[in-house]
Amino acid sequence: MSNAFVEKLSGYAPLTAADRALLAGACGGARRVPARYDLIREGDKPGPVFVMLEGWACRYKLLPEGGRQIMAFMMPGDFCDMHVAVLDEMDHSIATLTPARVAAVPRGQMERLIETNPAITHAFWWSQLVDEGTLRAWIVSMGRRGSVERVAHLMCEIYVRARNIGLEHGTLVEFPLTQIVLADALGLTPVHVNRVLRKLRLEGIMEIGRGKLVISDPGKLARIAGFDDNYLHRRIRNAA
């Protein structure tokens, strides 16, 4: 069975069969968890490195009045917070959005893999650069893009990320996110998100329904968003 974590890192560096076996072995204790399950909460002591093998998750913070701000989506192959162990406690929470299969890799084991295997080190560096680029794109959206552009940009980003891990089928990608989840990620109300999605659907650009995102006019959606996918590209297309 393929391992989403191994496949993702293989897109960033030419991993050998031995490298791939080491990474797959590190995920050997994976477990299944339900949707809306906190893998770790803000204030907890940092623990293992969580690796998403199946399903989607998010990083989030709860505000004093109870509102939630989602700061990142995690898809199959993504891993969480390699360097957070320097903190005394977590400054955000990580929760599943769908039923998921998650490996909790002991931090020491993950650090040894990175320190002793140059190709794996390279792949981790590149993966973290992509994560940082994604965070910068979200900051720009929250600060400067209007609501339509903000929604369009996130849809473009999710489409490219899904395509990069094999969840894309032509103009269609798997999309398990509710409008409430989107609102929490975009800094909008669910009503406003619904209004924007309806506008894009009526214009024949894209549509969300039954766990799928269908982009009928990718070029127009990208123009609306001002989307440039350079921060999401894999470094190599075919891993060794």
Side-chain angles (χ1 to χ4, degrees):
M1 184 174 68
S2 65
N3 181 300
F5 179 51
V6 176
E7 295 307 316
K8 176 180 177 177
L9 291 181
S10 295
Y12 297 134
L15 302 180
T16 65
D19 293 330
R20 295 169 67 93
L22 286 170
L23 291 169
C27 301
R31 62 192 177 106
R32 295 197 175 273
V33 295
R36 298 178 294 280
Y37 177 84
D38 281 320
L39 298 171
I40 194 165
R41 294 186 177 94
E42 184 172 359
D44 288 351
K45 183 176 177 58
V49 176
F50 294 106
V51 178
M52 299 297 299
L53 298 175
E54 298 174 14
W56 293 45
C58 70
R59 306 176 197 268
Y60 73 92
K61 286 184 74 76
L62 289 178
L63 303 179
E65 73 277 9
R68 178 178 67 167
Q69 178 63 53
I70 291 175
M71 300 173 292
F73 291 125
M74 285 169 286
M75 300 164 68
D78 290 341
F79 58 94
C80 310
D81 299 324
M82 264 303 300
H83 306 301
V84 78
V86 300
L87 302 176
D88 292 330
E89 60 182 41
M90 291 291 293
D91 61 4
H92 64 281
S93 302
I94 300 172
T96 58
L97 294 168
T98 69
R101 190 163 67 93
V102 182
V105 183
R107 194 166 298 275
Q109 180 181 2
M110 192 69 88
E111 288 173 351
R112 286 191 295 274
L113 280 175
I114 296 171
E115 291 168 359
T116 58
N117 298 273
I120 293 177
T121 304
H122 216 66
F124 268 78
W125 283 351
W126 197 262
S127 180
Q128 297 222 298
L129 286 173
V130 172
D131 288 346
E132 291 171 8
T134 302
L135 178 59
R136 288 190 289 271
W138 280 42
I139 291 171
V140 171
S141 281
M142 297 292 283
R144 289 297 179 181
R145 292 188 176 105
S147 58
V148 176
E149 293 80 9
R150 200 180 300 181
V151 171
H153 197 277
L154 182 59
M155 297 304 104
C156 288
E157 177 181 292
I158 288 175
Y159 175 86
V160 173
R161 290 181 64 190
R163 182 192 66 193
N164 285 347
I165 59 174
L167 299 182
E168 165 254 352
H169 311 281
T171 59
L172 179 151
V173 297
E174 297 179 25
F175 191 86
L177 308 180
T178 67
Q179 291 185 17
I180 291 174
V181 167
L182 291 175
D184 287 348
L186 292 164
L188 302 170
T189 66
V191 172
H192 201 154
V193 170
N194 180 272
R195 188 179 303 125
V196 172
L197 292 176
R198 183 173 183 272
K199 170 182 170 64
L200 294 172
R201 176 174 58 81
L202 291 176
E203 292 181 5
I205 299 171
M206 55 154 282
E207 183 173 0
I208 295 173
R210 297 187 179 183
K212 306 293 183 185
L213 164 65
V214 179
I215 300 180
S216 304
D217 193 336
K220 188 170 183 179
L221 188 67
R223 287 192 296 275
I224 290 171
F227 183 72
D228 184 341
D229 68 355
N230 63 348
Y231 66 100
L232 295 173
H233 279 167
R234 292 185 171 204
R235 188 171 187 183
I236 60 175
R237 290 298 178 185
N238 296 297

